[in-house]
Amino acid sequence: MKPVTPPKRVSQSIDADILSWGTVRALPEELAHWRKQPTPMLPEAFSPSLIRQSEEQTVAALWAVCEAAAGMDVKADAFADWGVIAAPRLLGRAGNALSFEQFAQEGPWGISPHAIPHQSLHAVSGTISQALKAHGPNFGIGNGPRSANDVWLTAATLLSEEILPGIWLVIVGHSDEYIPAFDKAAAPRVACEAIALALAPTQGERTGMHLRICPEDLLRGETPNEPFLASLPEFSLSSLVDELAHRESPPGSMWRLPGAGWIEIEMR
Amino acid sequence: MHSQPVVMTGVGAATPLGNDYLTIAHNLLNGVSGVRRIDAFEVKDHTSQIAGVIGPVPCPEGVDADLFARREPTEQVALWCAAQALRDAGLWERRSSLRIGLVLGVAAEWACAWERDHFRGGRRIYQSEQEELVCQRVAATLGLAGPVMNFSAACASGNYAIAMARRWVELGWVDVCLAGAAERALTPLTLAGFGNLRALSRRNEEPQAASRPFDQDRDGFVMGEGGTLFVLERAERAKKRSAHIYAEVAGCGAASDAYHMVIPSPDPAPAISAMRRAIADAEIAPTQIDYVNAHATSTPVGDQAEAKILEAVFGDHVRSVSVSSTKSMTGHLLTAAAAFEALACVVALERQTAPPTINLHRPDPECRLNHVANQALERSVKVTASNSFGFGGSNTCLILRAA
């Protein structure tokens, strides 16, 4: 990507160290396999039954977290006080389509008791917090076709409070829109991609990957540097997965968050 | 910890107890139940056939009636609440000149939209989804220029929304911020899902007696629907423009069970931690809390667990602090529960009266609390605490302080 120079003056930025990251881009059969045999596993193992009823996006998201945790030298209770924020995209679509069929065939009795807990917006963050045994706040963000930006604003809000020792930031979605098959047609074979960032408050001279969230557009009186902002690509999950998939060549990238400033990921 | 106080200056709500603050306050303090037999769809094959229902939501003044009528029910609730809150705060006419943010808790937006379309004979779920989120459409309809966010922590969403909005105000990302939650998830599949979890009351022959938190004869929660949104702004700003101040957002605390997607943790530590963090955030002692709006949903296990949590947090003060669960009157508004229960706390602060837990005729001996049983209690209320413990293990507590 062509280097872009950020403006010299940034009126407000929220910074975090990226202690580790994990990326996943997997087809349905790969997710199905991982669901039964999760690997790598977290420092404190979880049972595969945790994700038995989960949607594909939840499985992919947890897989990305496991990949990230595998890159950290941590004890089993390392994330006990961490928060988890997760941004899926149109979560629950497959499960809902199945529920329509079940209801048509069996009425209320046919609806799985697992449907609501595993198809609601907070299902991804809730499942990850259980797997990690993370007792900080956990909630789901966005879930719209184009709402991945919201998770950066949320992360910035939590980081600004300087209360949590760390936050797992997870973004997940299908690479192409997942549209359930109608009337017994073959299920769509769409890859699911996810990124998990282990974020911690910046500590002075720590080297490594670094995140900067600059909510420039939100500050009254600021005149956003229009040429600079216009030069940035708009953030997308796919582009971030592409950038961070290569652990040996860390990226230095910036993305525009429409209406909310920009983010920078760089190696220090 | 918080350099400048943030206060609530406007409220909008659509609930089983009414669609305006005065009506809701009256019904809350008079122990009115909003629980009815469900008549929006066939329920004869459902184990639970009752709910806290809201009627048709009025179209807000200034919003196109045809547009409003075409919108999904959850969006109608959110629009009504947002518009009403802004008018209540005296900011409706000025909204285009302010950076107004919106933090909205909605958990089942797509599921409900797809389901309603399905039962109308549509195939929306099998087509490319082009709609934006409810929060974005509401912001666009009302012309809000600040940041907008949708999120969910299940039943705890409203408390998180208020905490998030408070922070946005403190950071200067918004001039004022709308915060709360909305959910109209009373649908055949949702009713069936909760029913098959065996979580719902089956007292179908006595709808208004079904939601009975802390009572020995409770048998599960009653679903409800609705929404509540508040306007939050800096106290200094509110006073400068002579706005009516309902309450100060004094403290917020949160912690997750990390245990199970539905069953609360048998370890009360995370919920206790959430309450203690909120109390610390408010920089008060537990003994300064006068009224607790309990999460208590009328489930056998959950209500007992919360009683133990309150005993742990308050110690001897648990005999003095008034406790009630307004879910006894509204049912469980799910994602919208915490936001509405913050409103109940606002009523307690404004009216110096704690709302009751109705249907509390045989208190569970395992729930040894200072219940406000069946009738509202006039008393000094300067500080309130509202607990919301959501599915997925999200435990939150919101502390409000009298203005």
Side-chain angles (χ1 to χ4, degrees), chain A residues 144-202:
Chain A
R146 290 164 288 277
S147 60
N149 290 338
D150 298 354
V151 74
W152 301 108
L153 212 59
T154 308
T157 308
L158 293 176
L159 289 164
S160 74
E161 293 179 318
E162 299 180 343
I163 295 174
L164 299 171
I167 301 169
W168 282 97
L169 184 158
V170 180
I171 312 173
V172 62
H174 289 92
S175 52
D176 293 309
E177 184 181 357
Y178 177 90
I179 301 176
F182 176 69
D183 198 21
K184 301 189 190 332
R189 194 166 172 267
V190 181
C192 198
E193 48 193 16
I195 179 83
L197 303 180
L199 302 177
T202 300

Side-chain angles (χ1 to χ4, degrees), chain B residues 18 57 74 83 113 120 124 130 218 224 244 272 297 306 329 331 338 364 370 372 375 397 402:
Chain B
V57 176
T74 300
R120 289 193 297 260
R124 179 175 175 178
Q130 297 301 321
R218 62 190 188 276
H244 172 68
I272 292 170
T297 62
E306 186 168 7
M329 292 177 270
D364 185 341
N370 186 20
V372 182
Q375 289 193 326
C397 179

Side-chain angles (χ1 to χ4, degrees), chain A residues 12 14 81 90-93 96-97 99-101 103 107-114 116-123 125-127 129-130 133-147 150 153-154 156-158 160-161 163-164 177 179-183 215 217-220, chain B residues 45-46 97-99 106-108 110-112 114-115 118-119 123-133 136 146-154 160 163-164 166-168 171-175 188-190 192-194 196-197 254-262 270 277 391-394:
Chain A
Q12 186 185 87
I14 312 293
D81 295 320
L90 300 174
L91 183 75
R93 205 162 185 180
N96 273 273
S99 292
F100 296 166
E101 294 176 20
F103 192 86
W109 179 254
I111 299 304
S112 167
H114 300 287
I116 292 169
H118 290 285
Q119 293 167 19
S120 298
L121 171 53
H122 48 273
S125 61
T127 302
S129 79
Q130 286 177 61
K133 296 188 170 37
H135 295 284
N138 91 75
F139 42 93
I141 313 287
N143 204 27
R146 290 164 288 277
S147 60
D150 298 354
L153 212 59
T154 308
T157 308
L158 293 176
S160 74
E161 293 179 318
I163 295 174
L164 299 171
E177 184 181 357
I179 301 176
F182 176 69
D183 198 21
D217 299 344
L218 305 183
L219 301 169
R220 177 172 282 285
Chain B
D45 293 327
H46 289 266
S97 64
L98 296 170
R99 292 172 307 152
V106 182
W110 298 117
C112 292
W114 292 325
E115 182 180 347
H118 171 75
F119 282 113
R123 294 184 184 177
R124 179 175 175 178
I125 197 173
Y126 304 109
Q127 297 163 347
S128 179
E129 188 58 68
Q130 297 301 321
E131 283 275 16
E132 295 292 354
L133 293 168
Q136 289 157 337
V148 174
M149 195 173 79
N150 176 72
F151 78 104
S152 173
Y160 271 117
M164 189 84 59
R166 179 180 69 165
R167 192 66 185 135
W168 286 8
L171 286 169
W173 293 356
V174 295
D175 295 320
L189 266 61
T190 308
F194 280 121
N196 291 340
L197 273 170
S256 297
D257 281 350
Y259 178 73
H260 192 274
M261 288 307 291
V262 178
R277 286 176 184 173
F391 283 126
S394 278

